[in-house]
Amino acid sequence: MQNNKDKLKRSLLCWLALSPLVIVILLPFAVMLLTAIKPADEVLSYPPRWLPTQIAWENFAVMWEETQFGTALKNSIIISTLSTVLAVGISIPAAYAMARFRFAGQAGYRRFLLVTQMLSPILLVLGLFRLAAAIPYGDGNLVDTHIGVVATYTALNTAFAVWMLQSYFATIPRDMEEAAWLEGCSKPRAVLKVFLPLAMPAMVVTGIFTFINAWNEFAVIYTLIRSAENKTVTVQIVDLVAGRYTVNWHHVMAAALLATLPVAILFSWLQKYLVKGLSLGAVK
């Protein structure tokens, strides 16, 4: 009984210590939600109100229909998912080669991967646009196509994914694979059956960060995409503010809140797989 009381006391103390951080993290979400459910005449009322006099849930439905937010959300999911799968899939063999083999210029290549992360995509948009316009695709080129954006995001995120994965791959003991070889397992099969399960935590973390990078990216998608049916949520939210004399902030906050939910849900869902992967790695 005393042990339960001590555990409860420690939990309360931990939550008390973390409460300022929790407030700082949840405050933007609370502001977005409270603004999104306010009637239009109360958003910029004076004196300002924290709580609405009546809840206007219809703001979400009106925003969804008027801004084609559903199409933009679908585009973001497709582009972010495809670019994440391709970037991580391409990075796994590259990171494995860097972690397991020694070759001339390896140290310089690692520095090169790190330097590429210092370049902002805004510096590359002109060259990327000219490149997309020069590559034939169908009756036109890669401008205003999802394939062009996916290929660009894959290229931009591959260096980041290789950098993250090779650091973790280097910590996995080579003895695991050598033991599988002695048991008659081929090298490719040892990688698939022994190495990759141990590397699952790193691949999950890399996939999460890559997905978030693709989901939040704005400069490239704003440059390459022209038509409304191909826009993503980041561009769609900016279009609710940019070039308008009157901004419907309740619609902007509703769109921003809905745009953050998929990433939050994805992270919460994959967190248990991350912990599971760490546990399996420790057991093996």
Side-chain angles (χ1 to χ4, degrees), residues 106-228:
Q106 186 176 23
Y109 183 66
R110 286 177 177 170
R111 296 189 187 96
F112 170 74
L113 292 177
L114 184 60
V115 169
T116 58
Q117 303 309 303
M118 301 178 185
L119 296 176
S120 174
I122 196 65
L123 301 175
L124 308 174
V125 291
L126 180 59
L128 291 172
F129 181 83
R130 291 173 64 90
L131 182 63
I135 298 177
Y137 176 74
D139 296 332
N141 49 44
L142 290 180
V143 177
D144 198 23
T145 63
H146 288 174
I147 293 179
V149 177
V150 169
T152 302
Y153 285 177
T154 301
L156 293 176
N157 289 321
T158 296
F160 167 78
V162 172
W163 175 260
M164 286 195 66
L165 289 175
Q166 64 90 22
S167 299
Y168 186 90
F169 285 1
T171 64
I172 299 178
R174 190 188 296 268
D175 299 343
M176 300 283 189
E177 294 174 87
E178 292 177 350
W181 300 344
L182 294 175
E183 294 293 332
C185 189
S186 63
K187 289 186 178 181
R189 187 175 179 83
V191 172
L192 292 176
K193 297 296 184 180
V194 178
F195 183 86
L196 290 183
L198 293 174
M200 186 60 66
M203 291 188 289
V204 171
V205 172
T206 303
I208 290 174
F209 280 103
T210 303
F211 184 89
I212 293 175
N213 288 339
W215 184 272
N216 293 333
E217 205 284 324
F218 173 76
V220 173
I221 192 74
Y222 196 74
T223 303
L224 294 182
I225 295 300
R226 291 288 181 265
S227 57

Side-chain angles (χ1 to χ4, degrees), residues 228-282:
E229 62 270 15
N230 289 330
K231 291 181 179 179
T232 59
V233 291
T234 52
V235 178
Q236 198 69 41
I237 292 174
V238 171
D239 286 347
L240 294 177
V241 180
R244 293 175 179 257
Y245 291 104
T246 302
V247 178
N248 297 320
W249 288 108
H250 50 301
H251 291 169
V252 175
M253 292 296 104
L257 183 62
L258 292 180
T260 58
L261 287 180
V263 177
I265 294 173
L266 175 69
F267 186 85
S268 301
W269 177 61
L270 289 179
Q271 190 176 23
K272 60 181 180 181
Y273 292 97
L274 176 61
V275 175
K276 181 180 178 180
L278 288 170
S279 302
L280 290 174

